[in-house]
Amino acid sequence: MRESLLSVGSRRLVVLLVLLCLSLLPVTATSQEVPGAQTLIPSPPQLNASSWLLMDADTGEVLVEHDADESLPPASLTKLMTAYLVEHELNRGNLGLDDQVSVSENAWRTGGSRMFIQEGSTVPLQELLHGIIIASGNDASVAVAEHVAGSEAAFAELMNQQAERLGMENTHFVNSTGLPDPDHYASAHDLATLSRHIINDYPEHYAIYAEREFTYNDIAQSNRNSLLWRDSSYDGLKTGHTEAAGYCLVASAKRDGMRLISVVMGTDSEDARAQETQKLMSYGFRFFETLTLYDEGEELDAPRIWGGESDQLSVGVDQRIRMTIPRGSDDSLSASLSMPESIEAPVAQGDRIGTLEITLADETLKEVPLVALEDVDEGSLFKRLMDMVKRFIAGFFD
């Protein structure tokens, strides 16, 4: 009789433990959807140009392109890299805006568009940066190249190193100005990539690209980007022209929180490059939108973790997730979380836990690592033993 009572008591204890464990098992969300309404998108405009591209500056998504990876003469669009290198060195503390730059005879004699600096003079770097961006000064570009690297040829090596670092695969520089050379070329895609870095990497200098006029030595010169006068949403970036390159324009505009970058190469005139750019921009802003899906550090799930000091692990993304999608199609946007069935402690903040997959109408747009948003240390011996029992029981009932 005593043995029978003990047996009944043991069975009751097992049942209680099972019920307790089942109550602790987590429920994991695996998908998320955002309501919205779909819209139809027409074919992109065809431009009277050799090459063009439209890119979302936030996401890097290419919305429209035509021969965008073809290497072409970039003319003064080259100066985007010249200016970017200066901004890069300023950010590293190797240069200062008040640095006095000596003007060599070589810089003074450089032909083409000019800032009108004088041989033997010294000019503050800040003035030269404005002269490069606004007045498209070849003389200013050579003076800066010599100041930074000792010679223009050495500066071109730095330009190519930066181009490689930024993933500009169809670009090669031999000078700081864009004066014609058969070995000097760039693609629309590469120039858009560079422009995106100019905007996002060093925003403290970007305002220069929107300035309409620059005066040096009482000589006033207007920015050749006519869109700065036509539409207040435009705030950059650079024009270019040679006989070989035609009329080129890299532009950026921001409307309702969305920033686009356009590159148009090889048009027939100043008016044509502006008009073709406006076609691209109008299409992009009308038919696409940029959405912030998740903020950096946002928790997306809290799955069960075994053998840890706590029973749940905060999981999310360590970067802000922005997506470019057809305007009004967010009802077809969804996100799914993929994680292992079992997660064991210890886990350190930043450890990859799984994958966030973002899809639009069953097409995968982006895959992002899911990471631990916190540390979970290994639990005590008793805690680990209890978790072993809970896992065994949970597995028994699966």
Side-chain angles (χ1 to χ4, degrees), residues 194-247:
L194 172 59
S195 299
R196 184 176 178 231
H197 280 279
I198 288 173
I199 294 166
N200 295 328
D201 292 355
Y202 310 117
E204 65 273 22
H205 301 296
Y206 182 62
I208 300 173
Y209 294 84
E211 294 185 23
R212 297 180 179 181
E213 188 176 86
F214 173 66
T215 300
Y216 181 76
N217 275 346
D218 296 326
I219 300 173
Q221 297 191 66
S222 295
N223 195 316
R224 293 171 176 81
N225 183 0
S226 61
L227 294 176
L228 298 178
W229 282 266
R230 297 185 187 185
D231 188 330
S232 61
S233 68
Y234 288 89
D235 56 10
L237 291 157
K238 189 74 186 71
T239 62
H241 171 251
T242 62
E243 184 175 348
Y247 290 86

Side-chain angles (χ1 to χ4, degrees), residues 109-187:
R109 288 187 178 276
T110 304
S113 54
R114 301 172 59 80
M115 175 181 163
F116 298 105
I117 51 180
Q118 298 299 312
E119 176 191 0
S121 66
T122 59
V123 183
L125 180 61
Q126 183 170 3
E127 294 287 314
L128 291 170
L129 187 59
H130 281 72
I132 292 169
I133 295 171
I134 303 169
S136 198
N138 290 338
D139 50 356
S141 298
V142 174
V144 163
E146 293 174 342
H147 179 73
V148 172
S151 69
E152 188 176 17
F155 187 80
E157 290 184 20
L158 294 179
M159 297 170 75
N160 289 320
Q161 290 173 15
Q162 284 291 337
E164 183 177 0
R165 183 181 71 87
L166 300 179
M168 299 169 63
E169 298 179 351
N170 299 294
T171 293
H172 184 262
F173 299 109
V174 298
N175 59 55
S176 63
T177 60
L179 288 172
D181 188 289
D183 292 325
H184 189 96
Y185 50 82
S187 71

Side-chain angles (χ1 to χ4, degrees), residues 1-21:
M1 188 69 171
R2 176 182 173 85
E3 184 177 348
S4 176
L5 287 173
L6 286 173
S7 178
V8 171
S10 298
R11 288 196 297 271
R12 288 178 176 173
L13 178 60
V14 169
V15 171
L16 288 173
L17 284 173
V18 169
L19 291 175
L20 176 62
C21 292

Side-chain angles (χ1 to χ4, degrees), residues 274-293:
Q275 291 171 5
E276 303 304 85
T277 294
Q278 287 180 303
K279 289 180 186 177
L280 272 184
M281 288 289 194
S282 296
Y283 178 82
F285 284 120
R286 171 65 182 85
F287 295 107
F288 293 89
E289 60 182 326
T290 309
L291 298 181
T292 299
L293 304 184

